[in-house]
Amino acid sequence: MASSRPTKSFIAFSHQSVRAASVGVLCLALGLGCIAPTPAHAAAEESDLLFGQTALQHGIPVRSGPDLEASYASVLDEGGDLCFGRRATDQAQIASLTKIMTAIVALETLSPDAAIKVTPTAASVGESSAGLMQGDVMTLDASLKALLTASGNDAATALAEAAGTIILADQGLSGDGYACQAAFVDAMNAKGSALGLVNTCFTNPHGLDFDAWAQGQYSCAQDVAVMLRYGMGIERFRASIGFSNVDIAVNRNGSETTLSLSNTDTMLQTYEGTCAAKTGYTLAAGPCVATAVNRGDGHEYYAVVLGSSSKPQRFADSETLYDWTYATRETRATLPWHKRIGLWIDYALDTAASI
């Protein structure tokens, strides 16, 4: 089992610097005029929100926040409260994290026994693929695994067309595959509005954002975390998003064919409690990932990282967010100010010792 010990530094400087920072905090609290030293090239930012407030508003060093390389990040708890935010409501590209909403709308539109057929349009989307071929037929559960494990653009389009057909029929309409996709995207945006996603606009079911797919779509880290939290409340969604590797069966040319799917998220196998993972990448979005962690202690957290510095770093950033959240959750307005400061300092010292 992966260790829950922090894998990245909570405050990336030495014991001496941490102690100096703690003295600075105490002097500030006592109204004295000393200033704690600030390390160069800090990865924590003054505007980062730590349980709803900046570090300075908490009266603690800026470096008390998690050490991230991501441009945007958000962590929500099981109640939907913001544990951490870095430009969490700023609009950004989210690439294949779009598929979280695709799965939600498909599940809320299609019947559990729906048969999903892969059309020529779905089979030819390109980029990330589950290896589906024109004419393949699969169950809804299989298509969700193709969508969320393999991040298949083919699966996203097949689901959008199948669900879009029903959406149009409910309106007394019909249309080709593109009309069905458009109806499905409208339903994605309607669901986003219902969930309060004020910084999100979908234009396709898969998240591609370049060339013909560059149509003004956007979202933000906090909205994606809200989506993931909502999705994890749906049994079939939850059962489809936690696989490192999984096989699905498709009917291909009249016979059953097995497709082996893999998830590019390493946390599912290495980070304690990881129960959901959806990765994404485009040049515009950069490396991004949405994950959920539940360690059976009555808490579940949802972390979103957008625009990290590399594909491996998006996982390191996510692990840092969870390490920080678990280590500091007791500070959320449940202790007197002096004990809260003490917990932050204790964690800083412990983490510095592990470097």
Side-chain angles (χ1 to χ4, degrees):
M1 179 176 292
S3 171
S4 60
R5 183 179 66 81
T7 56
K8 286 180 68 66
S9 63
F10 184 66
I11 299 180
F13 45 96
S14 67
H15 265 71
Q16 182 176 1
S17 296
V18 174
R19 289 194 177 95
S22 67
V23 171
V25 173
L26 295 176
C27 289
L28 176 62
L30 295 173
L32 301 179
C34 64
I35 300 175
T38 302
H41 310 297
E45 299 181 2
E46 287 189 8
S47 61
D48 288 348
L49 295 179
L50 318 179
F51 299 110
Q53 292 183 303
T54 66
L56 295 179
Q57 288 171 328
H58 280 295
I60 56 179
V62 171
R63 293 292 289 175
S64 300
D67 184 1
L68 304 178
E69 295 186 15
S71 299
Y72 314 89
S74 179
V75 180
L76 298 183
D77 66 13
E78 66 280 354
D81 292 327
L82 182 69
C83 301
F84 176 83
R86 170 172 294 179
R87 290 184 286 278
T89 58
D90 286 8
Q91 293 178 4
Q93 294 302 310
I94 63 170
S96 283
L97 305 192
T98 298
K99 295 180 176 106
I100 295 171
M101 183 60 85
T102 301
I104 290 170
V105 175
L107 279 165
E108 294 187 343
T109 304
L110 295 163
S111 64
D113 60 353
I116 310 302
K117 185 174 182 178
V118 180
T119 66
T121 301
S124 62
V125 176
E127 301 299 324
S128 180
S129 171
L132 301 175
M133 297 178 62
Q134 177 181 341
D136 284 352
V137 179
M138 57 194 157
T139 64
L140 175 59
D141 286 345
S143 66
L144 288 169
K145 292 180 177 70
L147 176 77
L148 297 172
T149 300
S151 196
N153 295 334
D154 42 9
T157 305
L159 281 165
E161 291 181 338
T165 299
I166 293 174
I167 294 168
L168 288 178
D170 287 344
Q171 300 170 0
L173 302 172
S174 63
D176 60 13
Y178 295 105
C180 293
Q181 285 192 62
F184 184 83
V185 171
D186 286 345
M188 292 172 68
N189 285 313
K191 188 63 181 182
S193 295
L195 292 177
L197 310 185
V198 298
N199 291 300
T200 295
C201 177
F202 299 107
T203 63
N204 63 57
H206 39 66
L208 293 178
D209 55 23
F210 53 86
D211 296 337
W213 302 113
Q215 299 172 334
Q217 63 267 56
Y218 57 84
S219 188
C220 66
Q222 186 165 321
D223 281 2
V224 175
V226 171
M227 281 189 271
L228 180 58
R229 174 177 173 265
Y230 180 85
M232 291 295 282
I234 303 173
E235 183 178 354
R236 273 186 135 84
F237 181 102
R238 194 178 189 94
S240 302
I241 197 171
F243 294 97
S244 294
N245 301 281
V246 67
D247 291 341
I248 62 169
V250 302
N251 185 301
R252 179 171 291 172
N253 298 321
S255 61
E256 184 174 293
T257 298
T258 299
L259 301 180
S260 296
L261 309 176
S262 297
N263 195 322
T264 57
D265 192 311
T266 60
M267 289 177 60
L268 286 165
Q269 293 181 315
T270 63
Y271 192 76
E272 180 186 1
T274 304
C275 55
K278 182 71 203 74
T279 58
Y281 174 79
T282 63
L283 287 176
C288 49
V289 65
T291 53
V293 166
N294 187 323
R295 295 178 179 171
D297 59 356
H299 295 284
E300 185 160 286
Y301 298 102
Y302 313 94
V304 175
V305 166
L306 306 178
S308 193
S309 57
S310 69
K311 290 182 178 179
Q313 185 61 38
R314 60 186 167 180
F315 307 128
D317 282 344
S318 299
E319 292 178 9
T320 295
L321 284 169
Y322 287 121
D323 290 342
W324 178 87
T325 300
Y326 274 100
T328 61
R329 65 186 180 187
E330 296 301 327
T331 68
R332 283 178 289 178
T334 59
L335 295 173
W337 67 270
H338 61 284
K339 290 187 178 181
R340 295 204 301 268
I341 291 174
L343 284 175
W344 292 79
I345 293 171
D346 286 346
Y347 181 65
L349 290 171
D350 289 345
T351 308
S354 71
I355 299 174

